[in-house]
Coordinates of all heavy atoms in Angstrom, one line a residue:
A361 N -66.2 3.5 -102.6 CA -65.4 3.8 -103.9 C -64.5 2.7 -104.2 O -64.3 2.3 -105.3 CB -64.6 5.1 -103.7
A362 N -63.8 2.1 -103.2 CA -62.9 1.0 -103.4 C -63.7 -0.2 -103.9 O -63.2 -1.0 -104.8 CB -62.1 0.7 -102.1
M363 N -64.9 -0.5 -103.4 CA -65.6 -1.6 -103.8 C -66.0 -1.5 -105.3 O -66.1 -2.4 -106.0 CB -66.9 -1.8 -102.9 CG -66.5 -2.5 -101.6 SD -67.9 -3.0 -100.6 CE -68.6 -1.4 -100.1
D364 N -66.3 -0.2 -105.7 CA -66.7 0.1 -107.1 C -65.6 -0.3 -108.0 O -65.8 -0.6 -109.2 CB -67.1 1.5 -107.2 CG -68.4 1.8 -106.6 OD1 -69.2 0.9 -106.2 OD2 -68.7 3.0 -106.3
T365 N -64.3 -0.1 -107.6 CA -63.2 -0.4 -108.4 C -62.8 -1.9 -108.4 O -62.0 -2.4 -109.2 CB -61.9 0.3 -108.0 OG1 -61.5 -0.2 -106.7 CG2 -62.1 1.8 -107.9
G366 N -63.5 -2.7 -107.6 CA -63.3 -4.1 -107.5 C -62.1 -4.5 -106.7 O -61.6 -5.6 -106.8
D367 N -61.6 -3.6 -105.9 CA -60.4 -3.9 -105.1 C -60.8 -4.1 -103.6 O -60.8 -3.1 -102.9 CB -59.3 -2.8 -105.2 CG -58.1 -3.1 -104.4 OD1 -57.9 -4.2 -103.9 OD2 -57.2 -2.2 -104.4
P368 N -61.2 -5.3 -103.2 CA -61.6 -5.5 -101.8 C -60.5 -5.2 -100.8 O -60.8 -4.8 -99.7 CB -62.0 -7.0 -101.7 CG -61.4 -7.6 -102.9 CD -61.1 -6.6 -103.9
A369 N -59.3 -5.3 -101.1 CA -58.2 -5.0 -100.2 C -58.2 -3.5 -99.8 O -57.8 -3.1 -98.8 CB -56.9 -5.4 -100.7
A370 N -58.6 -2.7 -100.8 CA -58.6 -1.2 -100.6 C -59.7 -0.8 -99.5 O -59.6 0.3 -99.0 CB -58.9 -0.5 -101.9
T371 N -60.6 -1.7 -99.3 CA -61.7 -1.3 -98.3 C -61.2 -1.5 -96.9 O -61.9 -1.1 -95.9 CB -63.0 -2.1 -98.6 OG1 -62.7 -3.4 -98.3 CG2 -63.5 -1.8 -99.9
Q372 N -60.1 -2.3 -96.7 CA -59.7 -2.6 -95.3 C -58.6 -1.7 -94.9 O -57.4 -1.8 -95.3 CB -59.2 -4.1 -95.3 CG -58.7 -4.5 -93.9 CD -59.9 -4.7 -93.0 OE1 -61.0 -5.0 -93.3 NE2 -59.6 -4.4 -91.7
P373 N -58.8 -0.7 -94.0 CA -57.8 0.1 -93.5 C -56.8 -0.7 -92.7 O -57.2 -1.7 -92.1 CB -58.5 1.2 -92.7 CG -59.7 0.6 -92.3 CD -60.1 -0.4 -93.4
K374 N -55.6 -0.3 -92.5 CA -54.6 -1.0 -91.7 C -54.9 -0.6 -90.3 O -54.4 0.4 -89.8 CB -53.2 -0.6 -92.1 CG -52.9 -1.0 -93.6 CD -53.1 -2.4 -93.9 CE -52.9 -2.7 -95.3 NZ -53.6 -3.8 -95.9
I375 N -55.7 -1.5 -89.6 CA -56.0 -1.3 -88.2 C -55.4 -2.4 -87.4 O -55.7 -3.6 -87.7 CB -57.5 -1.2 -87.9 CG1 -58.1 -0.1 -88.7 CG2 -57.8 -1.0 -86.4 CD1 -59.6 0.0 -88.6
E376 N -54.5 -2.1 -86.5 CA -53.9 -3.2 -85.7 C -55.0 -3.7 -84.7 O -55.9 -3.0 -84.3 CB -52.8 -2.6 -84.8 CG -51.6 -2.1 -85.6 CD -50.6 -1.5 -84.8 OE1 -50.4 -1.8 -83.6 OE2 -49.9 -0.5 -85.3
P377 N -54.9 -5.0 -84.4 CA -55.9 -5.6 -83.4 C -55.9 -4.7 -82.2 O -54.9 -4.4 -81.6 CB -55.3 -7.0 -83.1 CG -54.5 -7.3 -84.4 CD -53.9 -6.0 -84.8
G378 N -57.2 -4.4 -81.8 CA -57.4 -3.6 -80.6 C -57.3 -2.1 -80.7 O -57.5 -1.4 -79.8
R379 N -57.0 -1.6 -82.0 CA -56.9 -0.2 -82.2 C -58.2 0.3 -82.8 O -58.8 -0.4 -83.6 CB -55.7 0.1 -83.1 CG -54.4 -0.4 -82.5 CD -53.4 0.6 -82.2 NE -53.7 2.0 -82.6 CZ -52.8 2.9 -82.8 NH1 -51.5 2.6 -82.6 NH2 -53.1 4.1 -83.1
M380 N -58.6 1.5 -82.5 CA -59.8 2.1 -83.1 C -59.5 2.8 -84.4 O -58.5 3.4 -84.6 CB -60.4 3.1 -82.1 CG -61.0 2.5 -80.9 SD -62.0 3.7 -80.0 CE -60.8 4.9 -79.5
P381 N -60.5 2.7 -85.4 CA -60.3 3.5 -86.6 C -60.5 5.0 -86.3 O -60.9 5.3 -85.2 CB -61.5 3.0 -87.5 CG -62.5 2.5 -86.5 CD -61.7 2.0 -85.3
S382 N -60.0 5.8 -87.2 CA -60.1 7.2 -87.0 C -61.6 7.6 -86.9 O -62.5 6.9 -87.3 CB -59.5 8.0 -88.1 OG -60.2 7.9 -89.3
D383 N -61.9 8.8 -86.4 CA -63.2 9.3 -86.2 C -63.9 9.7 -87.5 O -65.0 10.0 -87.6 CB -63.3 10.4 -85.2 CG -63.0 10.0 -83.8 OD1 -63.3 8.8 -83.5 OD2 -62.6 10.8 -83.0
H384 N -63.1 9.8 -88.6 CA -63.6 10.3 -89.8 C -63.5 9.5 -91.0 O -63.5 9.9 -92.2 CB -63.1 11.7 -90.1 CG -63.4 12.7 -89.1 ND1 -64.7 13.1 -88.9 CD2 -62.7 13.3 -88.1 CE1 -64.8 14.0 -87.8 NE2 -63.5 14.1 -87.4
G385 N -63.2 8.2 -90.9 CA -63.3 7.2 -92.0 C -62.4 7.6 -93.1 O -62.5 7.1 -94.2
G386 N -61.4 8.5 -93.0 CA -60.5 8.8 -94.0 C -61.0 9.8 -95.0 O -60.2 10.3 -95.9
T387 N -62.2 10.2 -95.0 CA -62.8 11.1 -95.9 C -62.8 12.6 -95.4 O -62.9 13.5 -96.2 CB -64.2 10.8 -96.4 OG1 -65.1 10.9 -95.2 CG2 -64.3 9.3 -96.9
G388 N -62.8 12.8 -94.1 CA -62.9 14.1 -93.5 C -64.3 14.6 -93.5 O -64.6 15.6 -93.0
Q389 N -65.3 13.8 -94.0 CA -66.6 14.2 -94.1 C -67.6 13.3 -93.3 O -68.5 13.7 -92.7 CB -67.1 14.3 -95.5 CG -66.3 15.3 -96.3 CD -66.7 15.2 -97.8 OE1 -67.7 14.6 -98.2 NE2 -66.0 15.9 -98.6
E390 N -67.4 12.0 -93.5 CA -68.3 11.0 -93.0 C -67.7 10.3 -91.8 O -66.6 9.8 -91.8 CB -68.5 10.0 -94.1 CG -69.6 9.0 -93.8 CD -69.8 8.1 -95.0 OE1 -69.7 8.5 -96.1 OE2 -70.1 6.9 -94.8
P391 N -68.4 10.3 -90.6 CA -67.9 9.6 -89.5 C -67.7 8.1 -89.7 O -68.5 7.5 -90.4 CB -68.9 9.9 -88.4 CG -70.1 10.4 -89.0 CD -69.7 10.8 -90.4
A392 N -66.6 7.6 -89.2 CA -66.4 6.1 -89.3 C -67.4 5.3 -88.5 O -67.8 5.8 -87.5 CB -64.9 5.8 -88.8

Side-chain angles (χ1 to χ4, degrees):
M363 285 189 287
D364 291 343
T365 66
D367 182 8
T371 65
Q372 180 70 33
K374 301 300 180 211
I375 301 172
E376 295 174 31
R379 302 245 350 203
M380 289 191 299
S382 71
D383 289 337
H384 296 294
T387 66
Q389 299 173 11
E390 187 175 327

